[in-house]
Amino acid sequence: MKRFHDLRHARIGRLLKAMQGRPIALIMLGGLSLLNLISEWPSDIARPSFVDTVDEALPDSFKSARQLLFDQYQRHYPRVPDAQPVIIVEIDEETLAAVGQWPWPRNRLAGLIDAIAAQKPLAIGLDIYMPEPDQTSPERVADNLPPGTTALAAALRALPTHDEILAASLHAAPTILGAAALDHPAVETRTSLRSAPIRLHGNGTLGRVPRFDYVLASLPMLQAAAHGQALLSVALEQGVVRHLPLVMGLGDKLVPSLPIEMLRVATGSPAIDVYTDRSGVQTVGVADALVPTQPGGDIWLHFASIHSTLARYVSAREVLQRTVDPQRFRDKLVLVGLTGAGVTDMRTTPLGELVPGIEIQAQVIETIFEGRFLRRPTWLKWAETGFIIVFGLLIVWYVPRKGTRLPAFMKAVPRGLAVVGVSLHLLNVLCCFYIFVRFGFLIDAAAIFIILSAVMGCFLSPTLMHQLEGGAGGQAPFGQEEPPVGSQAQARKRSGDDKDVN
């Protein structure tokens, strides 16, 4: 067993020392660079089939490190809101305790919408979908009355239904209804949604836009009454919301997300514009606002801490009791959603905070208003790859060269190379972080660190092995020449002569 271990150790040593480590370093540079590209394949070139195979076999290669790095960018520099275009009317625990458990009768929800609309907001978005008829409606109650109550049943059926009351409120206010996109059929799901038209510009591809086959939406009567429909889906990566699509596919149709549809209704625009090129979606526009997107029609969110946005929350109980300052809603975009315990969907942000799902929608609207977008365009991925390859080739060319100052520096300052390496990687992270703060670009400093460290390690390994072996029988460290064979023989002979003399 020991002999096998020694042989394997010797083979690894010879492989690392071959041609001073350059071949293995080049293989490491090319292989890791390709693996990095596979983990985030550029959208401007066709995706080969082997990419999916490798991605399935190594699903977290570079991706997790990249996501964690981008999260750290935001944690050290969260967005600080400089405007408050959004008000969230939350159906919280206080409201549920005062008004009643959820779901409410639709006429009660209509009363809340009427109270908000009276304050003249620009748009009201409901993070709520109602696919079934209201079971508390008068006609439903009439159907469940015991025999002998014919007059009472007739009187109840003569009253407007709760769904009709809600439809009237939705029509009278600039309202938008949310809907949930699904990949599979379920009870009350449909394959279509009534939504505003989307105008396509350019001959680009829409292949990266997320697509769904089914939707769980409100009743057709309510859809017809509202001024807009939107999908509420968010993209989750390892349980964290990092970006949100502005447009999604439902079958063969494009449908807007809630934030962009609210802007359309607020501005009175007839349609939403989507601009594409060969890499995918580039921009989504409504009125005079143009939002740069990723090729999939989504935007990376620069999150603000929930502690800096608490002022936008208003309890629905206060709205129903008419105790809120009317000016607070005027010319605002109002979101209505559930935040009470047990009835809300909580999401984790890159800041490590657990927030209501409706907060994500509000942050998208704020980001569009402020124009502070995070971007990771396709050209940036190619620029990263080019930098890694060029700098890696520079390492392969320079480090093993004989006669350079690097071996002398390592000999004079044994820990100096580690200090220089750490300093260069720290400089790399600081430069990428500065670009994030200054320009909003997300540069993958993690991949740069991992790949270049691996390439440099190919040259350090022979040196470390040489030191562990005590320099005997092994090749000298990179940049240092072996003493000539004749000189070694003469030295041994002199050593033997000295022993004879003694």
Side-chain angles (χ1 to χ4, degrees), residues 134-398:
D134 187 352
Q135 298 301 313
T136 66
S137 199
E139 82 282 4
R140 298 288 177 174
V141 176
D143 293 339
N144 293 320
L145 288 177
T149 56
T150 307
L152 177 58
L156 288 172
R157 290 191 178 95
L159 296 173
T161 67
H162 289 175
D163 291 319
E164 290 172 345
I165 294 172
L166 178 58
S169 297
L170 292 172
H171 183 71
T175 53
I176 301 95
L177 286 176
L182 301 174
D183 291 318
H184 52 82
V187 178
E188 303 296 342
T189 56
R190 298 180 176 85
T191 57
S192 63
L193 183 70
R194 177 181 175 271
S195 61
I198 291 181
R199 296 183 296 221
L200 291 176
H201 303 270
N203 297 318
T205 177
L206 297 173
R208 288 182 172 263
V209 174
R211 292 192 174 273
F212 304 90
D213 295 321
Y214 302 94
V215 63
L216 188 61
S218 296
L219 294 170
M221 174 195 302
L222 302 179
Q223 290 189 47
H227 293 252
Q229 315 290 324
L231 293 180
L232 298 170
S233 299
V234 298
L236 290 177
E237 294 174 318
Q238 298 177 338
V240 179
V241 178
R242 295 183 174 90
H243 47 92
L244 187 140
L246 296 185
V247 290
M248 287 163 274
L250 182 60
D252 297 329
K253 180 181 179 181
L254 282 182
V255 180
S257 66
L258 183 59
I260 205 73
E261 178 66 357
M262 287 186 68
L263 291 176
R264 185 194 69 81
V265 172
T267 57
S269 302
I272 294 169
D273 296 295
V274 173
Y275 300 86
T276 64
D277 64 10
R278 65 174 185 172
S279 64
V281 179
Q282 291 298 303
T283 308
V284 175
V286 58
D288 59 350
L290 293 177
V291 184
T293 68
Q294 298 300 114
D298 58 308
I299 61 171
W300 286 82
L301 289 177
H302 191 180
F303 279 90
S305 172
I306 186 68
H307 301 293
S308 66
T309 65
L310 291 177
R312 63 160 150 252
Y313 283 82
V314 177
S315 174
R317 178 179 62 86
E318 297 177 10
V319 177
L320 289 170
Q321 294 174 352
R322 305 295 201 275
T323 60
V324 181
D325 181 4
Q327 295 301 318
R328 192 167 184 183
F329 290 94
R330 189 174 297 277
D331 296 332
K332 299 286 187 179
L333 299 174
V334 179
L335 286 165
V336 181
L338 298 159
T339 63
V343 294
T344 185
D345 58 329
M346 302 298 289
R347 305 290 187 181
T348 302
T349 72
L351 304 183
E353 298 176 336
L354 200 62
V355 304
I358 198 167
E359 172 69 19
I360 308 294
Q361 311 291 341
Q363 296 230 13
V364 175
I365 296 173
E366 272 186 352
T367 299
I368 295 174
F369 262 78
E370 296 176 2
R372 295 161 62 184
F373 307 108
L374 296 184
R375 298 196 64 193
R376 185 163 171 77
T378 302
W379 64 261
L380 184 58
K381 301 172 191 177
W382 287 118
E384 288 173 2
T385 302
F387 175 83
I388 290 171
I389 291 176
V390 170
F391 207 91
L393 290 175
L394 183 62
I395 293 174
V396 172
W397 169 76
Y398 177 77

Side-chain angles (χ1 to χ4, degrees), residues 44-121:
D44 57 346
I45 57 176
R47 186 180 175 94
S49 58
F50 80 89
V51 171
D52 295 324
T53 303
V54 176
D55 208 19
E56 290 177 4
L58 301 169
D60 289 330
S61 60
F62 290 97
K63 189 179 298 182
S64 295
R66 182 185 307 119
Q67 291 172 346
L68 291 175
L69 174 71
F70 294 164
D71 291 351
Q72 290 301 315
Y73 285 171
Q74 296 208 42
R75 292 188 184 192
H76 287 84
Y77 188 72
R79 182 175 58 84
V80 178
D82 56 16
Q84 194 180 74
V86 182
I87 295 294
I88 294 178
V89 175
E90 55 175 341
I91 302 174
D92 54 4
E93 294 185 36
E94 294 180 358
T95 303
L96 296 176
V99 178
Q101 66 180 8
W102 188 263
W104 288 347
R106 303 275 164 80
N107 61 334
R108 192 169 297 166
L109 181 59
L112 177 61
I113 294 173
D114 292 340
I116 297 172
Q119 313 306 323
K120 305 300 181 183

Side-chain angles (χ1 to χ4, degrees), residues 404-428:
T404 64
R405 297 180 181 180
L406 184 60
F409 174 73
M410 288 183 61
K411 186 176 181 180
V413 188
R415 298 181 182 178
L417 189 63
V419 174
V420 171
V422 171
S423 300
L424 287 175
H425 287 310
L426 181 60
L427 179 63
N428 164 42

